Amino acid sequence: MSADRNKQIIRECYEQFFTHRDLSRLTEVLGEGFVQHSPDAPSGRQAYLDHLAEAAFYGGSSDIKLILADGDHVAVHHNMKLPGESGEGLAVVDLWRLENGRIVEHWDVEQPVPEGSRVPNGMF
């Protein structure tokens, strides 16, 4: 699959999950042998889907700032806020690997976005 198609798949998953609270698109494209590298989430297709349905950020928001793709890998830089959170949220970079239109692997890094002028150039 092309890098552009892989970006489209990932964008659709974010849109469905964060905007519509719907895991159906991710359910369609998450591979059976899904491997998770984040220490806060499980590997395995069904275990990951179950985790997302109960995760603290379910019902939160994501403002995508940048999506980059290189072949089978897609990187998403976004500002994620937990449900009811009034602060600046988290700066998150998710890395996804796809094979034949299926998501097979995930890594992430995240950090709190400080308030005010502590980051004069912004984190995004």
Side-chain angles (χ1 to χ4, degrees), residues 26 30-52 95-97 103-108:
L26 186 59
L30 196 64
E32 287 298 325
F34 174 74
V35 176
Q36 175 63 264
H37 296 276
S38 173
D40 297 326
S43 278
R45 182 180 186 279
Q46 194 57 53
Y48 185 60
L49 291 169
D50 292 345
H51 164 77
L52 289 178
L95 302 173
W96 304 93
R97 187 171 70 82
I103 299 170
V104 296
E105 213 163 356
H106 173 254
W107 301 257
D108 64 17

Side-chain angles (χ1 to χ4, degrees), residues 9-10 13 22-23 27-28 39 44 49 54 58 61 63 65 67-68 74 76 80 85 99 104 106 108 116 120-122:
I9 290 168
I10 296 299
C13 290
D22 181 358
L23 285 167
T27 300
E28 293 171 8
L49 291 169
E54 298 177 6
Y58 185 71
S61 65
D63 181 12
K65 304 299 183 177
I67 297 182
L68 302 170
V74 177
V76 181
M80 183 172 67
E85 182 179 40
E99 285 181 356
V104 296
H106 173 254
D108 64 17
N121 298 312

